[in-house]
Amino acid sequence: MVWKIARKIICIPLVLLTICCIGAYLLAALNPYMNTRGWWLISLAGLFYPILFAALLLLILPWLFINKRWALVCGIVLVLGFRSALSTFAFHYFDRKTTDSRDQALTVMSYNIHEFKPVTGGRAHGKERFWDLIRTVNPDILCLQEFDNSDIPRFMASGYLKLTEAALNMPHSYYSRDSYAFDSLVTHGTVILTRLPVLDSGKIKLTDNAVTTSVIYLDLLAGTDTIRVMTTHLKSFGFKKADYEDLHRIRHFQEGMSSSLSHILGRLRDVFLLQNQQAFRLHQAVKESPYPVILCGDFNSVPNSYPYFETKGALQDAFLKKGKGMGSSYPRLSSTLRIDYIFADPSFTIASFDVRPELLSDHYPVVARIILPGASGR
């Protein structure tokens, strides 16, 4: 009798919690299928997919002892989100790395360098610390986001592109110059650097604005193969100090939480909608490439989002092929956020993938070893 009463008392809040988790999880699971124009809250739910997945998984345990039907419902709902799960988690803990030698595979590194501004250890010798980290990887192809450069001597970011080429012994580069600051004295954008011979280069705008994000590419000669390397930085949420203060108020239910929540949701809505537009054009740019593509960048989108699936298309996600866990690359907000990617043409073989947990930028660098189709014959 006592157990029955206790069970009823437990069941009521547990049922409410389960229903809320199921509703939010199903919203998040819709994310890959929908260009969320007008349904941007689905994108918001998608940000929390790993947490919702874990919550539903944990809820199965008490329901197994209280009411197995609810446990079954939770299990079925988890399966309904299989596409999101398969893009979020990788389980290559015990895989043997594909063997290759330096002349068989290309080391590709993608890194949002936060304008060479370290988030730890002070700003002194910032560039040099980033260069030292990149040298430990020794990439053949390096894609950098949030890169600043100026052609004005002794001005901030003066000669950063030439200095980086020399420091890393990577004489070939292409820089996007997406935006300008200080009356155009400083440019901002993405850059590709390499030691491989360059056949061509180009820039494709991802929106129609005068100053806009672009995707840039280099056509490279790798042995006897010609490949196209592309990089971009999709629209960022652009959180400033005031936005992080808003997030703090929301998390701790402090005074002014209502206005903070309204402001943050408005920012998220605008970014989600723009990212969808950018992802569509990026997908078109990849499809129109005359050569097999390696696509790198900071997409500011989680792996169960519409921009992720739209951009990825038929490409391989190097993390899913050789990574493990959730591959978090942006720990500043959450240990569940993977927003930096390396995609590769299906004809390539992914030999290895690593997230380097170096807290120098606000992003972690990601690195892949990629074997080209004709590598065995070289």
Side-chain angles (χ1 to χ4, degrees):
M1 182 68 178
V2 173
W3 165 242
K4 287 183 178 179
I5 294 172
R7 201 164 105 168
K8 286 183 179 179
I9 293 172
I10 294 170
C11 274
I12 292 172
L14 195 58
V15 166
L16 292 174
L17 178 61
T18 303
I19 290 172
C20 289
C21 282
I22 286 174
Y25 180 86
L26 289 175
L27 273 180
L30 282 173
N31 214 13
Y33 303 96
M34 298 182 67
N35 185 336
T36 51
R37 188 191 308 274
W39 296 92
W40 63 273
L41 284 174
I42 294 174
S43 296
L44 180 61
L47 293 176
F48 300 97
Y49 177 81
I51 297 169
L52 295 168
F53 182 93
L56 269 183
L57 200 60
L58 290 173
L59 282 169
I60 290 175
L61 297 177
W63 281 125
L64 284 173
F65 295 98
I66 299 171
N67 188 324
K68 290 184 173 59
R69 290 180 182 175
W70 273 107
L72 179 61
V73 169
C74 290
I76 291 171
V77 171
L78 281 174
V79 172
L80 290 175
F82 75 97
R83 195 179 186 200
S84 292
L86 292 177
S87 67
T88 301
F89 305 107
F91 303 97
H92 302 283
Y93 289 95
F94 307 107
D95 285 9
R96 292 180 180 178
K97 287 187 177 181
T98 304
T99 56
D100 65 86
S101 62
R102 185 77 199 181
D103 61 348
Q104 287 181 319
L106 298 173
T107 300
V108 181
M109 181 178 187
S110 184
Y111 195 10
N112 182 320
I113 58 169
H114 195 53
E115 301 171 356
F116 283 129
K117 297 174 182 175
V119 296
T120 58
R123 298 286 175 86
H125 307 292
K127 297 190 304 302
E128 289 78 7
R129 291 165 63 193
F130 280 94
W131 292 338
D132 287 343
L133 171 57
I134 293 167
R135 286 192 196 101
T136 65
V137 177
N138 190 26
D140 300 293
I141 299 166
L142 175 63
C143 297
L144 301 177
Q145 301 85 43
E146 293 195 18
F147 189 95
D148 284 359
N149 187 62
S150 175
D151 296 325
I152 309 301
R154 294 181 296 278
F155 196 70
M156 61 177 65
S158 175
Y160 275 15
L161 183 55
K162 291 296 182 184
L163 289 170
T164 301
E165 289 175 350
L168 301 177
N169 189 27
M170 303 184 91
H172 309 303
S173 68
Y174 188 74
Y175 177 42
S176 68
R177 293 179 176 83
D178 285 329
S179 59
Y180 302 85
F182 302 104
D183 293 325
S184 301
L185 296 177
V186 177
T187 57
H188 181 84
T190 59
V191 63
I192 306 172
L193 300 105
T194 185
R195 300 183 189 93
L196 299 177
V198 175
L199 303 177
D200 197 7
S201 61
K203 172 178 172 177
I204 303 167
K205 287 188 175 183
L206 296 181
T207 58
D208 296 324
N209 299 334
V211 178
T212 183
T213 299
S214 64
V215 56
I216 58 173
Y217 66 85
L218 286 180
D219 293 339
L220 305 177
L221 186 63
T224 58
D225 297 310
T226 301
I227 62 172
R228 175 164 289 187
V229 177
M230 310 175 77
T231 194
T232 191
H233 182 198
L234 298 189
K235 177 64 178 177
S236 168
F237 293 110
F239 286 158
K240 308 296 183 186
K241 182 180 178 181
D243 298 308
Y244 286 109
E245 291 172 355
D246 283 338
L247 289 170
H248 181 81
R249 277 192 286 271
I250 294 166
R251 287 170 181 164
H252 296 88
F253 300 96
Q254 294 178 349
E255 185 179 353
M257 184 187 77
S258 177
S259 60
S260 294
L261 182 61
S262 176
H263 175 256
I264 292 296
L265 288 178
R267 172 71 63 85
L268 293 174
R269 178 198 62 221
D270 294 342
V271 171
F272 287 141
L273 295 178
L274 184 55
Q275 285 178 350
N276 287 352
Q277 297 174 32
Q278 293 176 332
F280 176 78
R281 292 204 178 179
L282 183 54
H283 176 70
Q284 293 300 115
V286 172
K287 280 179 61 178
E288 292 167 4
S289 169
Y291 307 113
V293 166
I294 295 173
L295 171 63
C296 306
D298 171 7
F299 295 164
N300 282 300
S301 297
V302 290
N304 76 313
S305 65
Y306 176 85
Y308 168 87
F309 281 97
E310 179 69 13
T311 299
K312 176 178 173 290
L315 300 176
Q316 303 178 84
D317 183 336
F319 166 76
L320 296 181
K321 289 293 182 179
K322 288 292 179 178
K324 51 185 179 289
M326 287 187 290
S328 170
S329 65
Y330 188 68
R332 185 172 185 178
L333 282 182
S334 171
S335 60
T336 65
L337 291 178
R338 179 165 75 99
I339 60 176
D340 299 89
Y341 302 95
I342 298 176
F343 296 147
D345 187 87
S347 64
F348 299 161
T349 300
I350 309 300
S352 66
F353 179 89
D354 294 293
V355 179
R356 301 288 296 266
E358 306 278 353
L359 197 58
L360 185 56
S361 168
D362 54 351
H363 290 247
Y364 292 151
V366 293
V367 182
R369 292 277 289 160
I370 299 175
I371 302 174
L372 306 186
S376 59
R378 295 207 297 268

